[in-house]
Amino acid sequence: MNRITQCLHGKGTISGMMHQRKNGGNGSRGEYLAYAADYRPVIFWNLTNRCNLNCIHCYNRSGPGNGTPNELTTEEASAVIDDLATMGVPLILFTGGEPLLREDIWILADHARRRGIMTALSTNGTLITPDVAEEIKATGIGYAGISLDGATAETHNRFRGTPDAFERAIAAFAHCREAGVRCGVRVTLTTENYAELPALIDLAEENGASRFCLYWLVPSGRGIDTYKQLQLSGDEVNNALTLLYTRAKETDPKKMEFLTVDSPQDAIHLLAAMKRDNADDITEAEELVASLKGGCSAGTRVANIDQEGNVYPCQFAQADELRIGSVRDQPFSRIWDTADHPILSIFRQASPPLTGHCGNCRYIALCGGGCRVRALRLEGDIHAEDPFCFLNGDDRSLHSSDM
């Protein structure tokens, strides 16, 4: 996760992050969770793979009729929450599929609240009515990330495979505001919506989003089928990052924050831009990024539990070869704290033995080698270079002049 706003606005913000890293992170404020040195992970929990939509880029092939009879029961899920609370997990992000299709979501959210775990919701927004927004508030869910993949109904609905997804998602923002639920925009940027990025940011501001979170496409689920068609070029990635940086500088951080996900190398672009601007915080920002390997949290600061209780390093790593274990076989805490686990060890290596461009890149200490899931899926080797890296092309300008 590349937190553009938090690195840009205020020395106190970065100092707070670094203090968080150096002092363990217990009892952390929400905005510092990603910087905790003690790896009690944020849990991305796919409560169900049922969904009322059929998105072309879904990372786990969720959709109508895709539910499995083997989902964790309420009792099993509650026991997982008890274990997560005991080990000090700070945040559970309920996702899917569409998590609001899980009939016991309010029971689980309330149980997490009573056990002292913060919760958030990742949703397509189409099922958030005024009553649902009130339930979100009442059960203590502190944030709802609502997907918007287009600034126009035509684009968004094409992605989502239904004619009214855009209208209902926009309505969800209004319902959340009225209920006092903090919400933000989640957008996966592709060739289909790249031109709408400025308008998407405007739309997020107009709808009171407190966060603009940009995801890059990962070859996972249906994203594998559409990856070559939808993935952006290096120039488009750089242009998008430049726009986010510019808008983050111009936007009051108390109004809306900007961040990107799924590409640790984004931090290289951020640091280069800060250096060009002679930012006061550049030294601390470099130290912070280096301490986080650019923000990749898989297997360290984040983990994934799927609807059947399988555990993975992150939500995009849902593949048999990256399965860590199952909460039906042993508690998550025991799985997570296995020091010599063969899969977790790959993601936790301080200096992974990478090949290709990543193997000899001067920025390896800052980004940690990008996304290992992309390397595995596209190159067939988890230690290969990240093929999405914008530093991997012929234009090596960031190498030669910006840092």
Side-chain angles (χ1 to χ4, degrees), residues 117-139:
I117 304 178
M118 294 188 295
T119 55
L121 186 69
S122 178
T123 173
N124 61 45
T126 61
L127 302 181
I128 298 181
T129 63
D131 288 344
V132 168
E134 291 292 345
E135 286 281 8
I136 293 172
K137 181 69 173 179
T139 52

Side-chain angles (χ1 to χ4, degrees), residues 180-193:
V181 175
R182 190 170 70 93
C183 55
V185 165
R186 301 168 66 255
V187 53
T188 300
L189 200 66
T190 70
T191 55
E192 296 287 316
N193 59 4

Side-chain angles (χ1 to χ4, degrees), residues 13-171:
T13 302
I14 293 182
S15 296
M17 296 175 194
M18 293 309 301
H19 178 79
Q20 188 72 11
R21 290 286 299 161
K22 295 172 182 176
N23 291 279
N26 292 330
S28 62
R29 292 167 55 188
E31 65 265 38
Y32 292 161
L33 286 177
Y35 307 100
D38 181 16
Y39 290 152
R40 303 296 89 187
V42 170
I43 304 296
F44 288 75
W45 193 342
N46 299 99
L47 291 179
T48 180
N49 65 347
R50 287 173 286 159
C51 190
N52 59 321
L53 304 183
N54 193 36
C55 305
I56 63 175
H57 57 319
C58 178
Y59 70 84
N60 63 2
R61 298 185 185 276
S62 296
N66 284 12
T68 63
N70 204 31
E71 290 181 358
L72 294 175
T73 66
T74 302
E75 292 73 21
E76 287 175 316
S78 295
V80 172
I81 290 171
D82 290 336
D83 178 52
L84 298 179
T86 299
M87 69 178 287
V89 161
L91 173 69
I92 297 171
L93 190 146
F94 293 124
T95 183
E98 173 49 57
L100 293 176
L101 287 175
R102 175 87 184 208
E103 293 81 0
D104 59 358
I105 186 171
W106 310 127
I107 296 173
L108 299 178
D110 187 63
H111 187 58
R113 178 185 59 81
R114 288 186 285 106
R115 291 307 311 267
I117 304 178
M118 294 188 295
T119 55
L121 186 69
S122 178
T123 173
N124 61 45
T126 61
L127 302 181
I128 298 181
T129 63
D131 288 344
V132 168
E134 291 292 345
E135 286 281 8
I136 293 172
K137 181 69 173 179
T139 52
I141 295 175
Y143 174 81
I146 300 173
S147 296
L148 273 181
D149 287 313
T152 64
E154 179 184 4
T155 301
H156 181 76
N157 292 342
R158 183 171 66 249
F159 264 83
R160 298 279 153 178
T162 189
D164 61 351
F166 182 79
E167 177 185 358
R168 293 163 69 184
I170 294 299

Side-chain angles (χ1 to χ4, degrees), residues 4-18 32 248-249 251 253 274 279-282 284-285 288:
I4 302 170
T5 294
Q6 289 190 351
C7 280
L8 278 176
H9 288 281
K11 205 172 186 65
T13 302
I14 293 182
S15 296
M17 296 175 194
M18 293 309 301
Y32 292 161
K249 281 200 305 180
T251 302
M274 291 179 70
D280 292 338
D281 297 337
I282 185 62
E284 283 185 305
L288 175 65

Side-chain angles (χ1 to χ4, degrees), residues 1-9 17 35 143 182 184-185 187 197-205 209-215 240-261 266 270:
M1 184 176 290
N2 181 37
R3 291 179 176 263
I4 302 170
T5 294
Q6 289 190 351
C7 280
L8 278 176
H9 288 281
M17 296 175 194
Y35 307 100
Y143 174 81
R182 190 170 70 93
V185 165
V187 53
L197 181 57
L200 270 165
I201 296 172
D202 292 340
L203 186 62
E205 291 179 335
S210 64
R211 172 179 288 181
F212 189 89
C213 185
L214 188 147
Y215 285 75
L241 289 172
T242 298
L243 176 63
L244 292 181
Y245 175 79
T246 300
R247 294 295 292 266
K249 281 200 305 180
E250 298 169 348
T251 302
D252 182 348
K254 295 179 181 178
K255 181 179 179 182
M256 189 167 75
E257 70 166 322
F258 292 80
L259 58 157
T260 65
V261 182
D266 289 352
L270 173 61

